[in-house]
Amino acid sequence: MKWRVVLAPRALETLEGVLNRRLGDQLAQHLSVLGTDPEEKGWPLAGELKGYRSFYPEGGWFRIVFRVVPGAVEVVLISLGQNRARAERDLRSLARTLFSERLLDSPGR
């Protein structure tokens, strides 16, 4: 089954702002890969971000945060830069950002 990949405004803004053509092409390629078996890509997030997945392409300079909904993959965040050690506080900061930009539903919904 092929899934439709939908970018949230912030993710689209990040994609369009990539100045390095090679990096932009890699990012677009990895986004299209999410359209096939997205449940198998990346790692499930926990806590406030339960239901979302984080995808760090091997050798990539970016992280893609997405969730799978019926018929679509919603990409809510694309983070560019070198891969840093993943810490719990980074995920909490990500959750706060997603909540503040209304990209993440409240836990009670």
Side-chain angles (χ1 to χ4, degrees):
M1 176 178 181
K2 188 75 174 163
W3 301 77
R4 186 171 54 102
V5 178
V6 179
L7 300 177
R10 182 172 180 172
L12 183 60
E13 205 174 276
T14 301
L15 179 62
E16 290 173 346
V18 174
L19 298 178
N20 182 314
R21 184 176 176 190
R22 192 174 118 233
L23 181 61
D25 290 345
Q26 286 177 349
L27 185 52
Q29 180 182 11
H30 285 293
L31 287 170
S32 68
V33 165
L34 288 177
T36 306
D37 297 325
E39 298 95 350
E40 303 298 319
K41 309 290 190 288
W43 298 270
L45 299 175
E48 297 167 315
L49 296 173
K50 186 176 182 177
Y52 288 80
R53 298 182 72 81
S54 181
F55 181 44
Y56 291 93
E58 187 176 321
W61 280 62
F62 44 86
R63 168 174 57 177
I64 301 169
V65 177
F66 66 96
R67 69 178 169 182
V68 180
V69 296
V73 176
E74 294 179 343
V75 176
V76 294
L77 181 76
I78 298 171
S79 176
L80 298 174
Q82 284 185 310
N83 243 352
R84 297 178 301 168
R86 293 176 224 146
E88 185 176 324
R89 70 171 187 257
D90 291 337
L91 291 179
R92 291 192 186 281
S93 174
L94 173 60
R96 279 193 294 278
T97 299
L98 294 175
F99 276 121
S100 70
E101 295 189 11
R102 301 186 194 288
L103 298 175
L104 186 67
D105 291 334
S106 297
R109 289 189 197 184

